[in-house]
Amino acid sequence: MFSHLDKLPADPILGLSALFKADTNPEKVDLGVGVYKTAEGKTPILGAVQQAYGRLCADEGSKVYIAPSGWPGFTDAVAKLVFGDDLRANLGDHLAGIQTPGGCGALRLAFELIAYAKPETTVWVSTPTWANHVPTLAAAGLKHKQYAYYDQATASVDVEAMLASLGDAQAGDVVLLHACCHNPTGADLAVADWKRVSDLLLEKGLIPFLDMAYQGFAAGLDDDAESVRHIFSAQPEALLSYSCSKNFGLYRERTGALFVKGTRADTKDALGTNLARLARENYSMPPAHGAALATTVLEDSDLKASWIMELSSMRDRVNGLRRGLADAFVREGCGERFSGVARQTGMFSLLNLTAEQVAVIQKDKSIYFPSNGRINVAGLTDENIPYVARAIAGVL
Ligand code: LMR
């Protein structure tokens, strides 16, 4: 049965971690997987999460199953965070929500729901998009097309080209959008552009699916949610996949959520039960621990305030590193070629490098990032920025 299955190539992002670990060069730098790191290169457990952990250990009392819909209160708490109190109240029972095993689990569950509801659906993805989007939608049996998005020359979104290519989409197609901190480019739509995109979706009968894995990393929790709030106010149907990996630092706890807005007044139950069935068929129920921690933080005003401070300091640190790297590129004689790094947001920037140049940088300088040129800015430090800038300038 299995003898024809050969060894597969490593995952383009996760595979870098093993290579980095095995590298003995003391100057090695890991700019691969999108995780936040301190100046000491550590990915810490956030203080608010640590405190929630202490409370949970004292109070949890049982490890009995939770429901396929997840930890009690989790989706409500996340919904308030992302939609805001007013919109959450307005959406009422038009919104269904379910806890998922990470943002990736939310994407997969959403694609399965779409495939179940309308198997012939086409999903439009940005050019480029996160390396796991297309494999995940294809695994659910869906097909995809690409819309124009990133303009390497200006290191920003080419909105006109984006709107023009979405003009070819057909009513009922799904458009996958990054709510903030676009992965891999770091280039987001401005608020006014979200309105233009939303108008086009309405006009053409397209269904928006927002993927949000970095709320709080661009400008702040509310600012970053503007896109979601606009789309979920304006559109009759919309999906949102959400990850707590980065903003709560809960990576390995696989903590995420999926929200779907529907036209029916009983969407909460109609789609909620369909999502719960899909969860049951796939993995039965999501892991409880991370969602319990995030819920504890979000439901306690002191813990929430402390978490927001920690999130701001992570954001400020990454933005400082962006400016530091852009300046270092100028010092290395790269001119304006990489100036976009300082204007982009979130963890990533897409450097204008070929796969061959990336391979040389990895082999000769032990600096690890995916072959598309995406760097995890959070992997930089004040100490390694000159080394990284010099190595990259050296292959141009
Ligand atoms: C990334 O893009 O590096 C992260 O989202 C981690 C992953 O699963 O790829």
Side-chain angles (χ1 to χ4, degrees), residues 11 13-14 32-35 130 132 183 214 246 348 374:
D11 181 89
I13 297 174
L14 300 181
V33 184
V35 295
W130 179 48
N132 209 25
N183 180 1
Y214 299 88
K246 333 279 167 164
F348 306 115
R374 185 195 83 169

Side-chain angles (χ1 to χ4, degrees), residues 19-43:
L19 294 176
F20 176 78
K21 222 178 231 170
D23 192 325
T24 52
N25 181 349
E27 290 195 290
K28 66 182 179 177
V29 181
D30 180 8
L31 306 181
V33 184
V35 295
Y36 176 79
K37 291 185 195 158
T38 62
E40 295 72 39
K42 299 270 182 284
T43 302

Side-chain angles (χ1 to χ4, degrees), residues 7 46 102 110 131 176 200 210 232 236 259 279 286 305 352 359 378 383:
K7 184 177 175 191
L46 301 187
L176 185 58
L200 181 77
L210 276 73
F232 272 73
F259 298 97
N352 187 3
E383 287 67 42

